[in-house]
Amino acid sequence: MPSEESQDIEQATTKIAPITEGQPDSKTRRYDRQLRLWAASGQSALESARLLVLSSSATSTSILKNLVLPGIGHFTILDDATATPEDAGNNFFLEGPSSIGKKRAEEAVRLLGELNDGVDGKADARNVEEVLAKGVEGEEWLKAHTLVIAHNLQQSTLDQLSDVLWKDEDAPPLVVVRSAGFLAEFYIQFHEHTIIESHSETSPSLRIDKPFPALLEYSLSLDFDNMDPTDHGHVPYVIILVRALEEWKKAHDGSPPSTYPEKQAFKKQILAMKHKQDEENFDEAEGQAYRCWTPTVVPSEIKALFSDPKLAALSATSPPFFYLLHALKRFVEEQPQHSLPLSNTLPDMKASTGAYIELQKMYKTRAEEEKSIFKSYLPADVEVDESMLDAFVKNVHAVKVMRGKQWGAVDKEPKTLANFIQTSPKQLAIHLALSALANLITKQQPNAPLTPTIESLTVEAQALLPSGTELPEEEWANAVGELARAPTADLPNTAALLGGLVAQEVIKMVTKQYVPIENYCVVDLIETWTGIL
């Protein structure tokens, strides 16, 4: 039980306080490393999630292991299978011979639960066909989950499940995983996925070419010639560039450097401001000089979002994200700088602590002012959580709207598949082999032994391509040979890699942070590579 002096996750990740005010509580200590990746908001989303996993195979339990450990809120394994000797030999979440003959889902849930006592797990000894057969009742039960994961589900059942979840835009995403031997692929079916915290490597603009009044005034007020030598060597490069650019514009009719000779001359002007040769802040300013002639504009990816059809049809049921996006569009169009709201995030730079803090205060004050203006563009009757508003403004340079396709859509487009022969032959060969195997399994008699041949798999793969199209010879031979050798093998090492890859993408979808994979992610553990189709 936490002590009275302990802090919860929200406090520990957002509050700045002396360590004497209390140490992080046990939950914060447990999840310390991942909180550095997705903070309290991401952890809260993870703990609120309810996952449905169709199968308790070695791959499924490996995926769940990597979701239970970081603290997924609840998971249900839907599986009517009884553990076999083969299961006991390849599934780390079965207790060897003692699990044989028992319900596989119940055994897996029990052992997965030992990894994290804060996670709620449940075994459901039905199969997905029973759920789908219940019609609306079954569909509503499926939709009550945050996300559905299906591993090696029979093709006809998978198609039916995909249709049920695709016909409703509010239905949960479906993660389809297929594997055989050392080859695998997975795909995320979703209608729409909005991301505020994409954790882009692109930094927000510092607006050096369009300095806000306080920044410009401060830069012009400094007496560089008579400044203390120590202070002179620790002026942040932002201040140096704003000052140098203003002096350049005065001598060049208000225009920034544009030609190559002008840019070189501008850099020499910056270096000429040095008092001593070892003043690294001026070297840093010279290296960042491109910011002076690179105009601060709205990134094309963000500008494209302003044409999103949902902005023209906002209603009481519209997600808050699109109200924020609409407010951003108005802010950019109506504010004089015609740029995104200023971020208070500054990069590291050569500067004294005092000078850096002074610069940070200026950016923070201006960012708060612009956030207030941005907030005024939101309708008065629309409630947007303050933390969501803060996150949106902070990450506005990299917000995203992703729209996906239904599972299996590409297999209904023979010409698209044929184009991949030239661009992605290895990925295509594995995808076609897995699709061919799934089609063969659907056609065979119930309970008959699965013995696909290279010839039968090739026929099924050719049927997915336009008539007369040749399969990529070498790549196809490698892929089809592995599936003919091990059509039903759920290998522990393949399961382990898929467990990490799929769990990572599930976390992205649940937390709405980072950018998930689009299209098929193909895995080849024979040649040890992954690729996107």
Side-chain angles (χ1 to χ4, degrees), residues 138-433:
E139 292 178 12
E140 292 304 313
W141 184 80
L142 289 168
K143 293 173 187 177
H145 296 87
T146 308
L147 183 140
V148 180
I149 303 171
H151 174 238
N152 280 359
L153 202 60
Q154 189 171 21
Q155 185 69 36
S156 57
T157 305
L158 180 57
D159 289 341
Q160 187 181 355
L161 175 65
S162 171
D163 288 340
V164 165
L165 296 179
W166 186 254
K167 68 183 181 182
D168 183 351
E169 288 196 16
D170 296 323
L174 170 65
V175 181
V176 178
V177 187
R178 303 196 298 191
S179 65
F182 288 109
L183 304 181
E185 70 176 9
F186 66 90
Y187 181 91
I188 308 173
Q189 170 183 296
F190 63 92
H191 275 282
E192 181 179 273
H193 185 65
T194 57
I195 310 169
I196 293 177
E197 297 177 74
S198 64
H199 299 268
S200 169
E201 294 182 3
T202 304
S203 301
S205 172
L206 296 173
R207 282 215 216 137
I208 289 173
D209 64 319
K210 295 179 180 179
F212 50 91
L215 178 62
L216 179 60
E217 182 181 347
Y218 180 77
S219 300
L220 297 177
S221 70
L222 295 181
D223 186 355
F224 280 84
D225 293 333
N226 299 309
M227 191 178 292
D228 178 85
T230 302
D231 293 339
H232 191 270
H234 290 85
V235 177
Y237 77 75
V238 173
I239 302 298
I240 296 171
L241 290 177
V242 171
R243 175 66 167 266
L245 183 59
E246 285 304 306
E247 292 178 354
W248 174 276
K249 286 180 176 179
K250 286 179 182 178
H252 294 83
D253 299 323
S255 299
S258 57
T259 64
Y260 179 76
E262 286 181 344
K263 292 173 183 178
Q264 294 303 109
F266 180 72
K267 290 182 177 182
K268 289 180 180 178
Q269 175 186 316
I270 293 171
L271 295 178
M273 296 171 70
K274 280 185 173 185
H275 285 178
K276 295 187 293 183
Q277 284 303 310
D278 62 350
E279 290 182 320
E280 295 181 7
N281 55 328
F282 286 91
D283 293 331
E284 189 174 46
E286 190 249 357
Q288 297 288 327
Y290 70 90
R291 294 178 182 270
C292 294
W293 56 75
T294 303
T296 297
V297 296
V298 178
S300 58
E301 298 87 354
I302 304 300
K303 192 175 290 184
L305 296 181
F306 296 163
S307 302
D308 193 289
K310 286 205 169 182
L311 297 191
L314 290 173
S315 67
T317 58
S318 297
F321 178 91
F322 289 100
Y323 278 103
L324 290 168
L325 193 57
H326 185 260
L328 178 63
K329 179 182 179 182
R330 291 187 59 196
F331 180 95
V332 169
E333 292 173 348
E334 298 178 20
Q335 288 301 300
Q337 71 272 13
H338 300 297
S339 59
L340 301 176
L342 185 70
S343 170
N344 61 10
T345 303
L346 291 179
D348 292 335
M349 59 188 75
K350 301 286 182 182
S352 64
T353 301
Y356 188 83
I357 290 175
E358 183 66 28
L359 182 65
Q360 202 169 43
K361 283 180 179 177
M362 284 188 283
Y363 269 85
K364 185 173 182 179
T365 300
R366 180 62 183 181
E368 286 296 321
E369 292 172 358
E370 294 195 7
K371 187 177 82 171
S372 297
I373 296 171
F374 172 83
K375 192 174 180 179
S376 70
Y377 288 112
L378 289 169
D381 59 341
V382 173
E383 290 187 13
V384 177
D385 184 76
E386 195 67 26
S387 61
M388 184 179 187
L389 174 64
D390 289 342
F392 187 90
V393 173
K394 180 181 177 181
N395 300 282
V396 71
H397 64 288
V399 297
K400 293 184 178 293
V401 178
M402 299 175 66
R403 291 193 168 90
K405 292 183 178 180
Q406 185 177 5
W407 152 260
V410 71
D411 286 345
K412 298 174 183 176
E413 301 172 3
K415 290 183 179 179
T416 301
L417 288 174
N419 291 336
F420 288 134
I421 294 175
Q422 299 300 322
T423 59
S424 309
K426 286 186 176 182
Q427 293 93 319
L428 176 66
I430 292 173
H431 172 74
L432 288 176

Side-chain angles (χ1 to χ4, degrees), residues 478-526:
N478 293 336
V480 74
E482 175 62 7
L483 264 66
R485 181 190 73 83
T488 60
D490 191 11
L491 303 180
N493 39 5
T494 306
L497 180 62
L498 280 173
L501 291 175
V502 176
Q504 173 180 272
E505 300 308 309
V506 169
I507 289 171
K508 291 177 185 178
M509 295 296 292
V510 169
T511 62
K512 293 196 172 185
Q513 294 190 32
Y514 299 92
V515 182
I517 286 174
E518 289 188 87
N519 304 314
Y520 292 85
C521 178
V522 181
V523 178
D524 182 343
L525 278 180
I526 299 173

Side-chain angles (χ1 to χ4, degrees), residues 465-476:
L465 296 171
S467 178
T469 303
E470 293 292 326
L471 291 162
E473 186 173 349
E474 182 180 351
E475 293 83 0
W476 174 250

